[in-house]
Amino acid sequence: MQTAGIIIEYNPMHSGHLHLMAETRRLLGADTAVVCAMSGDFVQRGDFAVVGRRARAKAALQSGADLVLELPLPWAVSSAERFADGGVQTLAATGLVTHLAFGSECGDAAALMEVAACLDSELYRAGLHRFLGEGMSFAACRQAAVRGILGPEKAALLETPNNILAVEYCKSLLRRGSAIQPLTVPRRGAAHDGTVQEGENPSASAIRDLLRRGARETALALMAPAMRTAYQEEEAVGRAPVFAETCQRAVLARLRTMTEQDFAALDEGREGLCNRLYSASRTAASVAEVLEAAKTKRYACARLRRMVLWAYLGITPAGFPAEVPYLRVLAANGTGRTLLSEMRKTASVPVLTKPADVRRLGRAAQELFELEARAADLYALAYPDLSAAVGGKAWREGPVIL
């Protein structure tokens, strides 16, 4: 039996996500097991997930996944490069995953691997450094450097979001010398941040925007059936939808009490973004105003959102671990439980099915889980019904078993 890994957020799950799972099984065989590495309560763009991890993990199982493992927080809320590497680490650590399945605009795994190899070369790094010196945005510099090495056709692959993330998956596989094979499926439907058009698969961001604007019924209709049910169940008990704006006062309070040195610890590249955020946070009356005042043409707004989220969660890049220290099980069905049994022999890191088990692991693992638990408590403060925001649940809740 083949075992395919998919790195996901499902924020929320929609028909395009179902298509990827269905195509993966069509290409590899109907009996292919699917293991997901899924972000928890916070996501890569520096935002709160619209529904919590347990609800999304349950919907994943009901939609065709067999086992859902958590992509730990330090990787889930980082750059595309680190996000992708955390997902690859998580799936590779199972010792069972044979293929990494992902969507892309081009649908050409070989071309994506070629670009990934280029991005990891000294020739590319030299070209990138030269273009950065001209004051261009990082994305434009990266594409210009690749164009000079591989030509315009391959460089054009870096113009679209799913191709970009796919290249990062491939780059992580190459750097780690992984035997996992890339398997890409052409993405169908709306662009990553596009609006909903009749007859096409939606994007998750478009569904979130509908929820934010109060178009609940339209948003629900665009979710995968299991996701729709999971969302409605969370909504009924006051835990959905979750938006960062609900915690805006808490975020602003955190920013206004931070020193310049605190902001400097958030700036990975030491490129002055911390100074812009510090200045903006002194006067802005909303997080949106902070981001608007701090942004520049050179840096993507997502980078600033991540820095603000790190501030709220009390984390800094210097404290991010280099390697995933354990595999935390979020959900499993019958096939998933069989995989877990196999992983007792094949996994390269401990597998956590009970939160308390982390206390038997090393200090790095314990510190990571404690961070996850604190972050879960801060996430809960964004529930629509504050009475549902009971703390400490991460230490009490086990995986969803179907």
Side-chain angles (χ1 to χ4, degrees), residues 32 67 71 166 237 260 271 391:
T32 298
L67 177 64
L71 175 60
V237 294
E260 290 182 83
E271 296 163 300

Side-chain angles (χ1 to χ4, degrees), residues 35-49:
V35 179
C36 294
M38 191 188 82
S39 302
D41 293 328
F42 298 94
V43 293
Q44 194 266 333
R45 67 191 298 273
D47 205 354
F48 292 55

Side-chain angles (χ1 to χ4, degrees), residues 50-364:
V50 74
V51 184
R53 74 184 81 192
R54 282 175 60 83
R56 291 173 13 252
K58 180 181 178 181
L61 285 192
Q62 294 172 329
S63 301
D66 297 303
L67 177 64
V68 183
L69 305 172
E70 184 171 33
L71 175 60
L73 181 69
W75 289 270
V77 296
S78 289
S79 66
E81 181 179 41
R82 187 172 174 82
F83 173 90
D85 189 55
V88 168
Q89 280 192 61
T90 299
L91 296 173
T94 67
L96 297 176
V97 172
T98 56
H99 293 78
L100 174 60
F102 50 86
S104 66
E105 286 85 3
C106 72
D108 186 342
L112 294 168
M113 287 291 275
E114 185 178 359
V115 174
C118 176
L119 292 180
D120 208 28
S121 69
E122 288 299 329
L123 187 60
Y124 161 77
R125 282 186 278 273
L128 178 67
H129 181 74
R130 176 167 59 85
F131 287 114
L132 285 173
E134 297 176 8
M136 298 162 57
S137 71
F138 176 81
C141 293
R142 176 179 57 190
Q143 192 169 359
V146 172
R147 186 184 301 115
I149 301 168
L150 298 180
E153 185 176 345
K154 295 290 170 50
L157 295 179
L158 294 171
E159 293 176 354
T160 49
N162 291 281
N163 279 349
I164 291 170
L165 190 54
V167 166
E168 294 299 342
Y169 293 148
C170 293
K171 191 166 71 176
S172 179
L173 291 174
L174 289 171
R175 282 182 173 177
R176 294 185 172 275
S178 176
I180 296 175
Q181 296 299 304
L183 175 70
T184 190
V185 172
R187 190 183 189 281
R188 301 191 314 190
H192 179 69
D193 289 315
T195 56
V196 177
Q197 300 291 330
E198 186 175 352
E200 68 178 10
N201 291 327
S203 69
S205 58
I207 297 174
R208 294 193 303 274
D209 186 55
L210 288 168
L211 289 170
R212 187 174 270 108
R213 291 190 283 112
R216 176 181 177 276
E217 294 304 318
T218 303
L220 287 173
L222 293 170
M223 294 181 194
M227 185 74 254
R228 183 183 313 130
T229 299
Y231 177 89
Q232 290 172 314
E233 290 172 351
E234 291 296 286
E235 185 182 52
V237 294
R239 296 196 296 256
V242 175
F243 295 120
E245 297 93 297
T246 308
C247 280
Q248 183 161 245
R249 288 177 185 267
V251 174
L252 289 172
R254 170 62 179 153
L255 294 178
R256 289 195 181 184
T257 56
M258 290 171 60
T259 66
E260 290 182 83
Q261 290 73 26
D262 294 331
F263 277 95
L266 302 173
D267 195 349
E268 289 180 284
R270 298 291 186 266
E271 296 163 300
L273 278 178
C274 57
N275 299 325
R276 298 182 65 87
L277 271 180
Y278 174 78
S279 297
S281 69
R282 302 301 96 173
T283 58
S286 70
V287 173
E289 288 181 15
V290 171
L291 297 174
E292 181 64 28
K295 74 178 183 181
T296 69
K297 291 182 179 179
R298 181 167 178 174
Y299 302 109
C301 195
R303 182 171 174 182
L304 288 167
R305 282 198 301 267
R306 284 193 293 270
M307 291 172 71
V308 169
L309 179 61
W310 295 345
Y312 174 63
L313 298 178
I315 59 179
T316 61
F320 290 171
E323 302 291 325
V324 172
Y326 57 74
L327 300 177
R328 183 185 181 189
V329 180
L330 295 181
N333 62 13
T335 299
R337 292 194 296 274
T338 300
L339 292 172
L340 287 173
S341 180
E342 288 294 311
M343 284 164 57
R344 293 192 184 100
K345 298 176 287 186
T346 63
S348 59
V349 296
V351 179
L352 287 182
T353 55
K354 297 178 182 178
D357 289 347
V358 76
R359 294 191 172 98
R360 296 200 289 266
L361 303 183
R363 190 61 204 155

